[in-house]
Amino acid sequence: MTRTGPAAAAARTADAFARLHGARPDGVWSAPGRVNLIGEHTDYNDGFALPMALPQATRVAARRRDDGLLRLYSAQSGEDRTTELRVTDLVPGAVPGWARYPAGTVWALAGAGHQVGGADLYVDSDVPAGAGLSSSAALECAVAVAYDDLYGLGLPGPELARTAQRAENAFAGVPCGVMDQMASVCCTEGAALHLDSRSLEHRQVPFGLDPHGLVLLVVDTRVRHDLADGAYAALRAGCERAAGLLGLPALRDLAPGELGAALDRLPAELAPLVRHVVTENARVTEAVRLLAAGDTPALGPLLTAGHASLREDYRVSCAETDLAVDTAVAAGALGARMTGGGFGGSVIALVPAARADGVRGAVTEAFRRAGHRAPAVLRAVPSAGAARIA
Ligand code: ADP
Ligand code: MG
């Protein structure tokens, strides 16, 4: 019988480490993937988001080394070999492929002045990569919490998240915001995380689905985005240019009541970006109010409105994500939207439990008829953030 659950996964990861590296690890650490309920493309505008952690997580078994070597292996890399690097030699741009995420995290810790050295790492994950569920942040954050313990740093969660983001921005070359890393580190079981991306203040918002007879489905469209390509960076630059033209530090500083006048002052290509960011921040505030009032079902229309804004104003959806959203809603979902950066990836749908099979079947059938690859559908349960698990 295959053992399941975090303890069994931790034991398997530790055993695999021992087979590879020839010694027991000092411990095993885990960091989850996430879905974002609402608040997309707001983090790099200093705005708000409401992510929750998934049960799917990346585990890192690790053993400290005192010779300055960093030896990296991942069960998902597709390379059956260990990458060996010297911590003091790490420089942005010098490490290709998947290893730049864990190496970048060590580089960012060292760059922040922390006394860190080498380690042997074994990575294993059940977060699908490139599916918009934030496998990159899960990998960085698992390494960050492992190093935090191995080297006795005692860093607070937001600092670990910032360091992981710095790894992704400056070392891996992906200009992401901080939401993914904050979600992976700071989320708690049963709650969504109300995040202020400027201050990194965050609050747990209880997100019960069972009491409302609801489930949250995740449809992985299997269309793999590549955030390292120019589209994401261009959107981010567009937002920064718009804020500059409006004389604001960031688009977060534009109040909904000032939106109309601001749009009149902006070039036509920037106005829709600004409209999305300002209305999306307002949707986060509204979602938090609804959850606090116990009105979880009312979240549905807000999700669908968020998707329309991403499709029409921000233009980051694609045929597959639009089809998943439209089909889910037509089959009885209370609301649905793409989640993550876009250009493919995953869709979330808030669905009455009795309709879950129907929605899953309808989306699968619609994809088949449209000639798309079969989607993977999973159920999202608000889960714990990064932690030591063995
Ligand atoms: P997402 O974060 O949405 O999954 P990204 O493009 O940001 O997509 O990150 C995916 C990349 O992260 C992969 O291409 C790979 O380089 C790296 N990655 C994530 N998880 C792992 C893993 N378990 N092992 C090796 N590399 C991983
Ligand atoms: Mg990512």
Side-chain angles (χ1 to χ4, degrees):
M1 200 173 79
T2 315
R3 294 170 302 164
T4 56
R12 276 197 304 275
T13 310
D15 289 348
F17 177 102
R19 279 193 298 277
L20 181 76
H21 292 298
R24 300 301 297 173
D26 293 333
V28 184
W29 291 261
S30 170
R34 61 98 191 92
V35 289
N36 187 20
L37 295 177
I38 194 83
E40 212 66 76
H41 287 279
T42 48
D43 58 356
Y44 55 78
N45 290 298
D46 278 2
F48 303 98
L50 191 63
M52 55 168 248
L54 292 170
Q56 285 77 14
T58 297
R59 290 169 296 282
V60 170
R63 181 182 171 94
R64 181 173 159 153
R65 296 179 65 100
D66 292 321
D67 61 359
L69 286 183
L70 180 60
R71 298 176 73 236
L72 306 166
Y73 183 95
S74 165
Q76 284 74 45
S77 69
E79 313 166 346
D80 190 21
R81 65 182 177 88
T82 303
T83 298
E84 192 168 304
L85 302 160
R86 183 162 291 282
V87 172
T88 48
D89 290 348
L90 295 175
V91 276
V95 180
W98 77 275
R100 67 196 202 274
Y101 296 95
T105 304
V106 175
W107 168 84
L109 284 168
H114 303 298
Q115 296 300 317
V116 293
D120 287 338
L121 303 183
Y122 180 94
V123 176
D124 196 3
S125 180
D126 46 25
V127 186
L133 303 178
S134 205
S135 70
S136 59
L139 176 54
E140 295 145 13
C141 293
V143 173
V145 289
Y147 257 72
D148 189 55
D149 278 349
L150 285 180
Y151 283 92
L153 306 179
L155 297 175
E159 207 166 320
L160 291 172
R162 270 283 186 234
T163 306
Q165 182 204 11
R166 185 159 160 67
E168 186 147 348
N169 290 173
F171 199 90
V174 184
C176 61
V178 76
M179 175 197 40
D180 296 351
Q181 291 80 7
M182 278 296 291
S184 190
V185 173
C186 295
C187 278
T188 57
E189 207 174 321
L193 188 81
H194 185 199
L195 170 66
D196 178 336
S197 299
R198 172 171 281 164
S199 64
L200 298 195
E201 275 171 33
H202 54 284
R203 209 163 52 83
Q204 309 296 336
V205 182
F207 183 45
L209 290 158
D210 282 352
H212 300 276
L214 295 172
V215 295
L216 190 71
L217 296 182
V218 179
V219 180
D220 171 4
T221 64
R222 310 274 191 108
V223 179
R224 294 296 176 244
H225 66 82
D226 184 359
L227 291 187
D229 79 8
Y232 187 96
L235 288 164
R236 187 171 177 158
C239 288
E240 280 160 13
R241 195 154 70 84
L245 290 171
L246 295 169
L248 299 169
L251 291 183
R252 140 57 173 294
D253 299 298
L254 187 61
E258 301 162 347
L259 178 61
L263 294 179
D264 291 341
R265 292 169 52 202
L266 289 168
E269 76 276 14
L270 295 182
L273 301 185
V274 174
R275 185 164 52 222
H276 167 73
V277 172
V278 172
T279 59
E280 186 77 350
N281 275 326
R283 280 185 286 273
V284 175
T285 306
E286 177 62 2
V288 171
R289 191 189 68 75
L290 290 170
L291 289 180
D295 195 0
T296 305
L299 218 55
L302 216 52
L303 301 184
T304 310
H307 186 77
S309 180
L310 288 162
R311 183 182 62 218
E312 283 147 38
D313 276 345
Y314 225 68
R315 296 176 173 260
V316 292
S317 74
C318 64
E320 290 84 350
T321 49
D322 289 345
L323 182 63
V325 166
D326 293 346
T327 308
V329 171
L334 303 181
R337 62 181 286 271
M338 52 152 274
T339 189
F343 311 107
S346 295
V347 162
I348 54 170
L350 187 66
V351 185
R355 301 278 189 100
D357 286 344
V359 167
R360 182 191 298 258
V363 172
T364 305
E365 174 59 16
F367 270 51
R368 192 190 62 74
R369 256 191 274 133
H372 301 321
R373 284 184 68 191
V377 183
L378 46 110
R379 207 177 132 175
V381 182
S383 300
R388 182 172 191 157
I389 55 169

